[in-house]
Amino acid sequence: MGNNHSSSRVTHPSREQHIGVDINTNRNHPTPVSHVNLRYHKSQPSLMKSVSSYETISSESPVWPPHNHRLNDSRSSPKLTVYAPLTPPMSRQDPEARAYSAFLKSFPEYQSTWILDTLRRADFSRLDRTGETYVDYMGGAQHPESLVRIHSSFLNESVMGNTHSVSNSSMLSSHCADDARDAVLSFFQAPPGYTVIFTANATGALKLIGESYPFTSDSIYVLGADSHNSVHGIRQYASSRGAEVHYIPSTSTGGFVISTAKNILRQHRPRNARSLFALTGLSNISNAKNPLSILKFASSLGYNTLLDAAALAPSSIISLSETPVDAMAISFYKMFGYPTGVGALVIKESFLETLERPWFAGGTVNVVQVPGSIVTRANNLHEQFEDGTINFMTLPAITDGLRFLSAYLPFLPLRLSCLSHYLVASLSRLKHDSTGTPVVKILSRLPSRRLKNIGEQADCGSTISLIFLSASIQFLRFIENTAVSHNISLRTGCMCNPGGAAALLGIEDQMEQLYPGVTVKDFECVVGRELGVVRISLGLASNFQDVWKVLTFASSLADTSTRQALWNTWTNVPVGQAM
């Protein structure tokens, strides 16, 4: 037969959760720096919380362990005052201290985000302890230490079981899964009619759409050239069923021109068959943030709409009430670092009902005739698309992670705006000591405006894609190896976004010359150089010290003698021997 899956809720003793900064309540403190409302799904009214920036960030949740179990006591998380900037000592007069002082004069609004400096001390202190400068947030966020502690404590005190049963352990797991779905819907302000399908990642969510969408020979699939390979991959499903695939061209700095996109959508508007438009919310290489308003335009023409929000969700507020896209793909590790291996497809139930899965598996069915051909799908729509057993032991961390991020997300765009503007301006001023020519060329989209207040949203991301302008430092492997020697975690390559990379590098004509079976080495021979960029991306735990270390690294490559020494080390050339 099939699976007896119970999704009934179970009442458990409440627990107090302390996510993020554990803050001393000081009633003599002046007006708090901020006031954050933690809003949750309508089915969880007890989770409505109003949190001031100098109060303990906590919430009541009907999830075990016992009420008297302290998940974050003073022994593991020291009390900290929020309004405590992470600054070099005033007595210091070294270049970093002077640069930070000048930075604050140029970006006084940065001081409004000092709550994130305290968060850095409390939840990301390992970055400073290890001396690692992490600037690959587009690849994955760093996990908050308190989130891991809380999840570990919960697992150590709980008995959880496979959700496909009615035992106490199974019902606890089902309850946690339901809570996680509700938290996702609340975080993205989803109106009634949406549901959540848990997947392995955003790629898994996008694949579900590709394999299940009812493409026909009369269908159209429209997408942007500046998209992740997981969005491009849907064209395989579309083409195999005879559908047409049409691309919206990228600008030289990524994204697309809105009028061009509308013209292409209008030109290929659906006539006699279902058609799909996939939008990349934020490019993972070009830094271009596409306007979500085009989703409404596409919908008005008759397209179903799909939003790849994997890069957008970690630093931008997305409201499905304001932008009612048919389906949206996300990865939680990109949002708050932990856990990995869990993503989601947030989808309208009315749209989900029209999808046709090409197969079935354990957990997705109610009855299977064997031998025979009769299959009755699972009763709940989302269960029909969750193959096998969901990652139920990590789902409580999704609920807590969303609570964590909701408390700090309002501050993030302003902080990243300050750091990104400073980093771009400083990198652009670097010159080679011997020639006076620029050290780097920034290829990615730059912001058109500078944020000044908490709550404002940026018109692009906080990713900087660049190339180094020197014959001896064009090799990406050399740059990456040198960054490692400086304890800097960055990324090089094309970032699984060939269309965006081609636009930034100006090799779109060469892209058209590719042939079946071509390899990266073949492509590089056609282009005449190594393919890819150096990507620096900032995120929740980023601060001025990270930016300063990146600038120090880039400056070292501007000095001829230092650069040559680094090159010799990388190539193992003996000292004094000419290259």
Side-chain angles (χ1 to χ4, degrees):
M1 299 291 286
N3 298 93
N4 184 9
H5 179 189
S6 172
S7 60
S8 59
R9 293 179 177 272
V10 184
T11 302
H12 297 276
S14 64
R15 64 167 178 156
E16 184 182 48
Q17 294 181 340
H18 298 267
I19 312 288
V21 180
D22 196 6
I23 305 160
N24 273 327
T25 299
N26 183 357
R27 297 305 176 186
N28 296 322
H29 195 284
T31 303
V33 178
S34 66
H35 199 266
V36 182
N37 287 318
L38 303 185
R39 294 174 294 178
Y40 296 94
H41 198 257
K42 60 183 180 180
S43 65
Q44 296 175 294
S46 63
L47 296 180
M48 296 293 291
K49 276 287 182 180
S50 179
V51 182
S52 296
S53 66
Y54 56 75
E55 295 175 334
T56 299
I57 296 175
S58 64
S59 60
E60 293 298 320
S61 173
V63 183
W64 213 62
H67 178 70
N68 61 355
H69 182 75
R70 292 300 302 238
L71 294 171
N72 196 5
D73 60 27
S74 58
R75 291 170 296 176
S76 59
S77 180
K79 302 289 183 178
L80 296 170
T81 302
V82 166
Y83 199 74
L86 190 63
T87 60
M90 295 299 294
S91 59
R92 280 177 51 182
Q93 291 300 318
D94 57 72
E96 180 185 346
R98 293 195 299 271
Y100 186 65
S101 177
F103 168 75
L104 291 181
K105 290 180 180 178
S106 299
F107 297 90
E109 63 272 20
Y110 184 80
Q111 298 176 69
S112 299
T113 70
W114 275 346
I115 187 175
L116 298 180
D117 285 320
T118 303
L119 178 64
R120 167 88 173 220
R121 288 193 185 97
D123 258 312
F124 303 99
S125 59
R126 65 186 180 279
L127 293 173
D128 298 309
R129 288 197 308 270
T130 60
E132 189 70 17
T133 300
Y134 187 83
V135 285
D136 188 26
Y137 286 88
M138 188 57 71
Q142 284 293 302
H143 65 270
E145 294 164 15
S146 62
L147 178 59
V148 176
R149 285 197 302 269
I150 285 172
H151 187 226
S152 177
S153 296
F154 173 68
L155 293 180
N156 288 338
E157 298 293 340
S158 304
V159 179
M160 302 181 73
N162 191 304
T163 54
H164 300 146
S165 184
V166 294
S167 65
N168 289 333
S169 59
S170 296
M171 286 193 289
L172 174 58
S173 298
S174 296
H175 170 81
C176 291
D178 290 337
D179 276 354
R181 290 185 216 277
D182 289 346
V184 172
L185 293 173
S186 173
F187 185 86
F188 292 108
Q189 303 172 35
Y194 277 89
T195 189
V196 176
I197 298 169
F198 289 115
T199 61
N201 41 42
T203 293
L206 293 167
K207 183 183 178 184
L208 276 180
I209 296 295
E211 70 178 16
S212 304
Y213 193 80
F215 289 112
T216 68
S217 58
D218 295 322
S219 296
I220 305 292
Y221 177 45
V222 179
L223 68 159
D226 185 7
S227 298
H228 193 275
N229 273 337
S230 300
V231 178
H232 296 303
I234 295 176
R235 75 186 187 193
Q236 299 299 99
Y237 292 107
S239 298
S240 67
R241 298 169 193 168
E244 295 182 13
V245 178
H246 295 282
Y247 274 99
I248 302 170
S250 173
T251 73
S252 61
T253 57
F256 51 67
V257 177
I258 186 70
S259 59
T260 301
K262 288 184 175 181
N263 287 338
I264 291 175
L265 287 168
R266 194 181 293 112
Q267 179 183 352
H268 303 287
R269 67 185 304 169
R271 300 297 181 184
N272 303 313
R274 299 272 301 281
S275 296
L276 180 66
F277 170 53
L279 176 70
T280 295
L282 175 64
S283 170
N284 69 330
I285 188 170
S286 74
N287 200 41
K289 182 183 285 189
N290 292 313
L292 300 185
S293 60
I294 197 169
L295 291 166
K296 292 182 180 180
F297 177 80
S299 181
S300 71
L301 295 178
Y303 289 91
N304 289 125
T305 53
L306 170 64
L307 174 62
D308 176 10
L312 182 65
S315 60
S316 301
I317 295 174
I318 303 173
S319 171
L320 293 177
S321 294
E322 297 178 2
T323 307
V325 65
D326 288 321
M328 179 178 72
I330 55 174
S331 279
F332 296 110
Y333 79 94
K334 289 184 180 291
M335 297 174 67
F336 39 83
Y338 177 87
T340 56
V342 186
L345 182 66
V346 186
I347 186 169
K348 286 183 178 178
E349 292 176 325
S350 58
F351 178 52
L352 188 58
E353 290 174 346
T354 69
L355 301 184
E356 304 168 356
R357 295 219 64 190
W359 82 313
F360 62 86
T364 68
V365 292
N366 184 266
V367 174
V368 177
Q369 182 189 44
V370 179
S373 58
I374 295 174
V375 177
T376 302
R377 303 285 178 171
N379 296 328
N380 293 325
L381 271 175
H382 64 257
E383 293 176 357
Q384 297 176 19
F385 289 79
E386 292 176 339
D387 296 333
T389 301
I390 57 176
N391 198 346
F392 60 87
M393 295 194 73
T394 64
L395 294 184
I398 301 302
T399 303
D400 291 337
L402 290 170
R403 293 172 182 169
F404 172 91
L405 186 58
S406 67
Y408 298 103
L409 187 57
F411 302 91
L412 191 53
L414 178 59
R415 165 161 287 218
L416 296 181
S417 174
C418 295
L419 294 176
S420 296
H421 275 83
Y422 178 82
L423 181 55
V424 166
S426 300
L427 286 171
S428 300
R429 287 195 296 266
L430 291 179
K431 306 293 182 183
H432 285 289
D433 64 339
S434 57
T435 63
T437 56
V439 175
V440 304
K441 180 180 180 181
I442 296 175
L443 305 176
S444 52
R445 181 76 58 90
L446 300 179
S448 63
R449 61 187 178 88
R450 173 175 151 185
L451 303 188
K452 293 297 184 69
N453 299 294
I454 292 171
E456 292 181 344
Q457 297 296 299
D459 59 1
C460 65
S462 54
T463 293
I464 301 171
S465 292
L466 54 85
I467 56 175
F468 281 84
L469 301 175
S470 173
S472 62
I473 58 173
Q474 287 180 355
F475 294 104
L476 295 179
R477 286 170 294 173
F478 168 62
I479 298 297
E480 204 163 20
N481 182 78
T482 305
V484 169
S485 70
H486 283 72
N487 296 324
I488 296 176
S489 295
L490 49 72
R491 189 85 170 266
T492 65
C494 292
M495 318 306 162
C496 296
N497 187 334
L504 296 187
L505 295 170
I507 56 173
E508 291 167 301
D509 291 342
Q510 291 90 331
M511 178 75 79
E512 294 179 359
Q513 301 173 19
L514 297 184
Y515 48 87
V518 65
T519 65
V520 172
K521 288 186 177 181
D522 295 334
F523 195 6
E524 289 178 341
C525 288
V526 172
V527 175
R529 65 176 186 272
E530 191 176 19
L531 293 176
V533 299
V534 177
R535 187 182 72 182
I536 299 164
S537 53
L538 307 177
L540 182 60
S542 296
N543 62 12
F544 177 82
Q545 283 67 32
D546 294 331
V547 169
W548 176 255
K549 290 175 183 176
V550 169
L551 289 172
T552 301
F553 157 69
S555 297
S556 69
L557 298 176
D559 181 78
T560 303
S561 58
T562 302
R563 184 173 66 249
Q564 187 63 49
L566 292 169
W567 177 268
N568 292 345
T569 299
W570 182 59
T571 56
N572 294 316
V573 175
V575 176
Q577 178 177 324
M579 287 292 294

